[in-house]
């Protein structure tokens, strides 16, 4: 299936540096930046607002289906809104959302809905879309796939700088082991390890690896 617009897919684990890299790549190219983690975070926020236990997959499915998550583009990047409420970075990155998001993201029906929304964004224009399954599941036909990684040591120090070491390690474990589209290096992806290079150098490497017309 050919894509109407180029989509640069950027996948990788938590604390790998992929969000900073993806945002800058989008800025440099003038593409729209889509952070799909925020879409899973928005559903998680709605599930928690409904008082649902995130371990209860049936209740998560029901609460998620009752809430419409929208991703309007504002200033070159998608925002996330639930029931018309635009979620702030503080709401999206709260401790309860951090703790629950991988549990919500492993529910297949939640993924199906968000993957459909992510594919629909492909029609709006050229994108840089980052997440865990973008090159493997959402846009497997894209010729522009990047996987961002960093050594365990570097990721551990980034985690502790973020102040929630255990949560991030636990999220990685669930994200890699879940049945529905686990985190993998997508076929054909260029792997960029940014353990010992600067953010600007990582962005340069991503752009050099892409074969954009
Ligand atoms: O990118 P992030 O750390 O904000 O993502 C939060 C969680 O959302 C992550 O632990 C797993 C899930 N996620 C996913 O399953 N698939 C994606 N494409 C993006 C995120």
């Amino acid at each position: 299936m050919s894509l109407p617009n180029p989509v640069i897919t950027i996948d990788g684990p938590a604390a790998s540096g992929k969000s900073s890299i993806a945002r800058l790549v989008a800025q440099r190219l003038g593409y729209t930046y889509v952070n799909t983690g925020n879409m899973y975070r928005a559903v998680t926020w709605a599930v928690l607002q409904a008082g649902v236990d995130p371990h209860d997959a049936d209740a998560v499915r029901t609460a998620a289906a009752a809430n419409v998550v929208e991703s309007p583009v504002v200033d070159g990047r998608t925002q996330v809104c639930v029931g018309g409420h635009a979620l702030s970075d503080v709401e999206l990155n709260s401790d309860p959302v951090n703790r629950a998001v991988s549990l919500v993201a492993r529910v297949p029906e939640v993924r199906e809905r968000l993957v459909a929304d992510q594919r629909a964004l492909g029609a709006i224009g050229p994108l840089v879309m980052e997440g865990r399954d973008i090159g493997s599941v959402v846009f497997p036909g894209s010729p522009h796939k990047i996987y961002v990684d960093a050594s365990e040591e570097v990721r551990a120090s980034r985690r502790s700088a973020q102040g929630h070491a255990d949560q991030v390690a636990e999220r990685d474990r669930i994200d890699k082991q879940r049945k529905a589209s686990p985190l993998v290096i997508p076929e054909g992806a260029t792997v960029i390890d940014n353990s010992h290079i600067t953010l600007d150098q990582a962005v340069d490497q991503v752009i050099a690896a892409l074969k954009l017309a």
Side-chain angles (χ1 to χ4, degrees):
M1 185 190 74
S2 75
L3 301 172
N5 297 293
V7 180
I8 297 166
T9 71
I10 302 191
D11 293 296
S16 60
K18 71 179 183 317
S19 296
S20 310
I21 294 170
R23 203 171 44 241
L24 287 177
V25 169
Q27 260 174 30
R28 272 215 218 161
L29 297 173
Y31 286 17
T32 298
Y33 167 57
V34 184
N35 177 330
T36 62
N38 280 346
M39 298 167 82
Y40 289 93
R41 288 172 180 276
V43 175
T44 305
W45 179 87
V47 163
L48 295 177
Q49 286 285 113
V52 162
D53 173 1
H55 291 90
D56 181 344
D58 285 336
V60 166
R61 200 172 289 125
T62 306
N67 284 280
V68 177
V69 175
E70 288 172 318
S71 304
V73 178
V74 179
D75 291 336
R77 54 187 295 179
T78 49
Q79 287 198 333
V80 281
C81 302
V82 175
H85 169 65
L87 293 176
S88 67
D89 285 346
V90 171
E91 287 169 311
L92 292 169
N93 295 290
S94 71
D95 277 346
V97 169
N98 279 334
R99 275 195 297 275
V101 65
S102 285
L103 300 169
V104 171
R106 71 183 177 183
V107 176
E109 289 80 358
V110 169
R111 305 200 66 80
E112 278 159 27
R113 211 175 94 201
L114 292 185
V115 167
D117 292 348
Q118 291 155 11
R119 288 187 180 142
L121 286 169
I124 66 173
L127 305 177
V128 175
M129 185 177 283
E130 59 126 322
R132 302 294 190 290
D133 60 344
I134 311 304
S136 58
V137 172
V138 183
F139 289 109
S142 171
H144 313 300
K145 297 183 192 177
I146 304 288
Y147 185 90
V148 171
D149 212 346
S151 70
E152 271 305 322
E153 220 177 356
V154 167
R155 295 177 55 224
S157 75
R158 287 180 187 162
R159 283 170 198 154
S160 62
Q162 288 169 354
H164 32 242
D166 292 338
Q167 258 172 43
V168 178
E170 175 63 3
R171 276 207 284 136
D172 278 348
R173 193 187 62 74
I174 300 174
D175 295 344
K176 285 182 176 164
Q177 292 179 358
R178 69 177 175 228
K179 285 207 184 80
S181 41
L183 171 66
V184 291
I185 300 178
E187 214 181 304
T190 301
V191 178
I192 294 187
D193 187 315
N194 73 123
S195 307
H196 305 295
I197 55 175
T198 65
L199 181 55
D200 266 348
Q201 287 170 330
V203 173
D204 287 343
Q205 286 192 13
V206 169
I207 289 176
L210 299 170
K211 292 162 199 79
L212 296 169

